[in-house]
Amino acid sequence: MTQTNITDKALCVALCRNDLKAFDTIYERYWRRLYLYAFKIFEDQLVCEDLVQEVFVDLWERGRHKKIEHLEGYLFRAVKFQVLNVIRDLKKTSDLEAVFAHLPEQLGADHLLEFEEVDRIVRQSVGALPNKCKEVFQLSREADLPNSEIARQMNISVRTVEAHLYKALKSIKKNLGQIYFCLSSFIIVSFSFLF
């Protein structure tokens, strides 16, 4: 049960003592407001829900070891930074796509093997995506449709398309693990032939 009469300061002190009820009270008190704040900036339900959850996970993990003076301000700043990180990551994705567009057509045998390994991992990663996310990714990368056309075909917003692409690319990047370093080397070596 939520204690509405307890102050944020008292909740932070209780949180430092690993008080799960205090955390639950903070969650119930702020989740909706934080979600609406994030949605006002980014306008994507799934992404905003995820990033608000990440803020609360971080609060539970770090809040126990950190003295928070102004809880409301702390939480809203954390959400703002999470949204900015998502936007920054979307921009990085666009930059990476521009790099891939300029890679040379012919590859040496050693680079071809690296490419095949990366391609195999990417295909496995795409196969493991949730259905809608996979469909958006395939329409974007395989059918080469612009985000606006994907949104129209699937009857979703462009922001939702972007969110699915972000989620797909994040999953692929995670699955590449060690190979991601090889891919970076491959891009650098391949790019050096352009100059």
Side-chain angles (χ1 to χ4, degrees):
M1 180 181 279
T2 306
Q3 299 174 344
T4 55
N5 59 345
I6 192 165
T7 66
D8 283 356
K9 194 169 227 120
L11 287 170
C12 288
V13 169
L15 185 63
C16 286
R17 293 189 313 257
N18 296 328
D19 186 335
L20 188 57
K21 287 184 182 181
F23 177 80
D24 289 343
T25 301
I26 294 169
Y27 184 90
E28 289 178 26
R29 187 176 288 179
Y30 285 103
W31 189 92
R32 181 166 171 71
R33 289 175 53 204
L34 293 172
Y35 167 77
L36 292 173
Y37 176 68
F39 191 80
K40 188 174 181 181
I41 299 169
F42 196 70
E43 296 181 351
D44 183 280
Q45 178 184 350
L46 294 173
V47 171
C48 292
E49 286 174 357
D50 284 348
L51 67 86
V52 170
Q53 287 302 108
E54 288 179 34
V55 166
F56 279 105
V57 168
D58 186 62
L59 176 68
W60 177 250
E61 291 172 352
R62 292 185 186 185
R64 296 177 294 172
H65 311 291
K66 183 178 191 176
K67 186 174 183 191
I68 300 171
E69 292 294 325
H70 190 263
L71 180 63
E72 182 176 24
Y74 174 86
L75 291 171
F76 277 91
R77 274 190 311 278
V79 167
K80 177 181 158 186
F81 287 122
Q82 287 283 351
V83 170
L84 291 175
N85 285 338
V86 167
I87 292 169
R88 182 198 68 223
D89 289 345
L90 283 172
K91 182 180 179 342
K92 282 182 183 176
T93 300
S94 298
D95 293 344
L96 189 58
E97 288 171 352
V99 168
F100 278 122
H102 293 95
L103 288 176
E105 289 294 319
Q106 294 188 359
L107 304 172
D110 53 338
H111 295 304
L112 191 57
L113 289 174
E114 288 177 18
F115 178 77
E116 287 173 355
E117 177 65 13
V118 169
D119 187 56
R120 182 186 64 76
I121 293 171
V122 168
R123 289 191 186 286
Q124 285 177 342
S125 299
V126 170
L129 292 171
N131 289 337
K132 261 201 173 182
C133 190
K134 182 190 322 182
E135 184 179 356
V136 168
F137 186 82
Q138 289 171 332
L139 288 171
S140 173
R141 298 314 190 268
E142 294 171 12
D144 202 27
L145 295 178
N147 292 355
S148 57
E149 178 61 21
I150 296 169
R152 189 189 66 72
Q153 281 187 18
M154 295 183 68
N155 198 25
I156 57 177
S157 73
V158 173
R159 288 277 194 201
T160 302
V161 170
E162 291 170 352
H164 281 303
L165 289 174
Y166 168 77
K167 191 177 249 180
L169 291 169
K170 185 177 178 182
S171 174
I172 291 166
K173 182 178 169 183
K174 178 183 172 193
N175 290 337
L176 284 172
Q178 296 275 330
I179 299 294
Y180 192 69
F181 175 76
C182 294
L183 177 62
S184 300
S185 302
F186 167 74
I187 290 170
I188 291 167
V189 169
S190 298
F191 234 172
S192 67
F193 293 118
L194 296 176
F195 300 103

